[in-house]
Amino acid sequence: MSFVEYGDTIKDGDTAIVFLGHESMFPVKVQHGSVTQTKYGVIRHSTDLIGKKYGSKVTCSKGGWVFILHPTPELWTMNLPHRTQILYSTDISLITMMLELKPGSIICESGTGSGSLSHALIRTVAPTGHLYTVEFHQQRAEKAREEFREHGVEHLVTVTNQDVCKNGFGVSNIADAVFLDIPSPWEAIGHAKSALKAEGGRICSFSPCIEQVQRTCLAMEEYGFTEINTLEILLRVYNVRTISLQIPDLGKAAEDNSSAGFDSSSPSNPGSLCADVQAGTVQFKSGVPLRDMVGHTGYLTFATKS
């Protein structure tokens, strides 16, 4: 099993996603002889998981059932153990596009954190690219190495435990892109420029506060970066539902139009309307935004090394 290469069959040692519903799922490490408790009963790894195909419907001991899904970066983002605040797929998708990442790209990241963005970056640059990720906290760096090894992507990533603001990324003039998610990104702009290739590399900095953005933009200008712009993503969800409205009474003019000699069998004839219209109402689909929406997550500042 690998997060970047799909496998049909669940094997001992795999990480799988137990799917109980859209709002209820969790990861499990498949191990021979182990069991997993759910609200629908017990899942026995040896008999219920190992050897089954990913996507299978598994019946639990109480008669309820779950689906076992192959892990993806998107599913991992929704289910990973939080060691830090993480980036979600809404921001990750824009970061991937604006940094112009593709298979074979080399990218530097700091900090690694819980590895949400890291898994998405690895999947994007695979199979010939590489991620150099720097984490200041030693225990988080060690846990990230362990997860990358368990997920079969350790050959695509190098984890370094050091302070990127003081020691940089450990590479020079090879990166196509740099991503910063640290408290003081302006202190790492010089190291980011050194890590980027000779010209044309892209940089992105994620900051929750506008004061951080201001200082980062000033540092980018000081180091000669161009095309500096800051974006913010707000996700607005719509409910699509059927709405019934009354047909307005237009008086005599409407009566004249109805007697203007239309063929009642013609599809274009206004007289051949549905029963709802004849009853004085019409139904149509409408998109209505939710009263509450996901608000500010952070500012994304992008720039280009000239």
Side-chain angles (χ1 to χ4, degrees):
M1 184 277 303
S2 170
F3 271 55
V4 297
E5 296 176 0
Y6 184 81
D8 288 330
T9 307
I10 304 172
K11 299 180 177 64
D12 188 16
D14 281 3
T15 298
I17 305 297
V18 179
F19 181 89
L20 292 83
H22 290 289
E23 301 297 329
S24 179
M25 62 184 92
F26 59 90
V28 61
K29 184 173 181 178
V30 179
Q31 293 178 314
H32 185 78
S34 296
V35 297
T36 297
Q37 295 282 351
T38 74
K39 63 181 180 180
Y40 301 125
V42 172
I43 301 174
R44 295 175 175 82
H45 294 197
S46 300
T47 56
D48 297 333
L49 299 183
I50 297 176
K52 300 290 182 64
K53 287 186 175 296
Y54 279 107
S56 296
K57 183 178 179 180
V58 173
T59 302
C60 303
S61 61
K62 293 182 180 179
W65 47 266
V66 299
F67 288 102
I68 308 299
L69 306 181
H70 193 285
T72 65
E74 290 77 16
L75 289 174
W76 185 245
T77 291
M78 297 171 63
N79 295 282
L80 57 77
H82 285 232
R83 300 183 288 274
T84 59
Q85 182 59 265
I86 68 169
L87 289 174
Y88 290 91
S89 297
T90 307
D91 288 315
I92 291 173
S93 60
L94 184 70
I95 291 168
T96 303
M97 180 186 74
M98 295 294 288
L99 289 182
E100 302 174 1
L101 300 179
K102 59 187 182 297
S105 295
I106 296 175
I107 180 168
C108 295
E109 174 198 25
S110 182
T112 312
S114 301
S116 173
L117 176 65
S118 303
H119 282 81
L121 295 177
I122 291 169
R123 193 260 311 271
T124 302
V125 304
T128 56
H130 201 84
L131 169 66
Y132 294 90
T133 183
V134 177
E135 173 57 50
F136 174 79
H137 194 277
Q138 183 178 357
Q139 290 180 331
R140 288 201 293 262
E142 292 173 354
K143 186 60 180 178
R145 288 193 193 96
E146 179 184 341
E147 285 181 350
F148 293 142
R149 184 169 56 253
E150 290 178 352
H151 298 165
V153 296
E154 72 276 9
H155 61 292
L156 297 170
V157 57
T158 299
V159 182
T160 305
N161 173 220
Q162 64 187 29
D163 185 350
V164 70
C165 296
K166 295 180 179 179
N167 307 113
F169 293 93
V171 296
S172 299
N173 301 321
I174 64 169
D176 297 289
V178 170
F179 176 80
L180 298 174
D181 183 7
I182 54 178
S184 52
W186 56 89
E187 295 181 2
I189 298 300
H191 294 297
K193 183 176 181 179
S194 299
L196 288 168
K197 58 188 181 182
E199 60 182 23
R202 295 278 286 166
I203 184 174
C204 173
S205 173
F206 177 90
S207 298
C209 302
I210 195 64
E211 291 82 6
Q212 293 170 303
V213 174
Q214 291 171 330
R215 295 189 66 175
T216 303
C217 290
L218 290 174
M220 288 178 174
E221 287 185 339
E222 180 182 345
Y223 281 95
F225 284 90
T226 59
E227 299 177 348
I228 303 172
N229 63 351
T230 299
L231 306 175
E232 179 184 22
I233 300 179
L234 301 178
L235 179 63
R236 192 174 189 183
V237 179
Y238 281 77
N239 274 338
V240 178
R241 61 191 185 191
T242 302
I243 293 180
S244 297
L245 290 180
Q246 282 190 327
I247 297 177
D249 182 4
L250 302 179
K252 190 174 185 305
E255 295 176 2
D256 292 342
N257 287 338
S258 64
S259 59
F262 289 106
D263 180 4
S264 61
S265 63
S266 171
S268 61
N269 182 6
S272 59
L273 297 175
C274 64
D276 285 339
V277 174
Q278 293 173 354
T281 62
V282 62
Q283 292 185 336
F284 64 95
K285 295 289 185 182
S286 176
V288 180
L290 300 180
R291 293 188 177 183
D292 297 324
M293 63 176 281
V294 178
H296 173 75
T297 57
Y299 299 105
L300 293 168
T301 301
F302 297 92
T304 302
K305 181 179 178 180
S306 61

